[in-house]
Amino acid sequence: MPRITFHLARADNGVIGRDGKLPWHLPADLKRFKAQTMGKPMVMGRKTFESFPSPLPGRRHIVLTRDAGWAAAGAEVAHSPEEALALAGGDVAVIGGAAVFALFLDRADRVELTEVHIPAEGDATVPAFTGWREVAREEHASEAGRPAYSFVTLERAR
């Protein structure tokens, strides 16, 4: 079975996005995301893919969509979670959005989470990860007008 790892940043109130963008700018979170996903196939929804200015270098972009006619340069299209996993062919990084996280939640093994310590305003949310075991935590204080945040690694409690 491939290892499925979620990669996301989530505000204390569950918000992960607003108008197709992140509601915060945390350079350290973007750097961590890049390091953790480089060279890996990433599964995402169409809106997440379309939120990028261009495909992210060094990673495969497997886009899960219900639209049978959708296509984009740099995207491999899948129409079901099973098809996305078959395209990935091994370990996979699931990067959002909320509906895609919900589709893979029962199959995920690990969560690489940035907890953003603000009550963000947004239109995309992910519930708290209950039934998971925290295996790592790195706290970061508020700095230069940016919110405090924590890098957290969760593993499914089995």
Side-chain angles (χ1 to χ4, degrees):
M1 291 293 292
R3 184 174 175 97
I4 299 171
T5 302
F6 285 5
H7 296 268
L8 72 150
R10 180 184 177 278
D12 289 337
N13 61 350
V15 169
I16 63 166
R18 178 177 61 222
D19 299 327
K21 297 182 175 27
L22 295 173
W24 48 76
H25 180 67
L26 293 172
D29 174 53
L30 300 175
K31 183 177 178 181
R32 179 178 190 245
F33 175 84
K34 180 179 181 180
Q36 290 177 335
T37 60
M38 187 57 69
K40 293 188 169 74
M42 299 184 306
V43 172
M44 68 204 76
R46 178 190 51 79
K47 290 179 189 174
T48 297
F49 179 82
E50 291 175 348
S51 74
F52 300 143
S54 62
L56 303 176
R59 290 154 275 194
R60 289 174 54 209
H61 296 68
I62 300 170
V63 179
L64 192 53
T65 178
R66 290 182 291 268
D67 183 346
W70 186 86
E76 299 172 58
V77 180
H79 301 292
S80 70
E82 295 74 23
E83 189 179 349
L85 292 174
L87 278 171
D91 292 351
V92 64
V94 174
I95 66 167
V100 173
F101 288 129
L103 283 172
F104 284 93
L105 184 60
D106 291 342
R107 305 173 198 210
D109 302 292
R110 187 176 184 96
V111 178
E112 293 294 348
L113 175 65
T114 300
E115 294 177 341
V116 184
H117 300 304
I118 56 171
E121 290 185 26
D123 53 20
T125 61
V126 169
F129 292 96
T130 56
W132 292 76
R133 181 172 49 95
E134 185 175 311
V135 296
R137 176 176 288 269
E138 184 181 310
E139 303 287 347
H140 297 272
S142 176
E143 181 181 16
R146 294 188 175 99
Y149 59 95
S150 305
F151 291 149
V152 181
T153 300
L154 304 170
E155 290 184 348
R156 183 171 298 282
R158 297 200 190 260

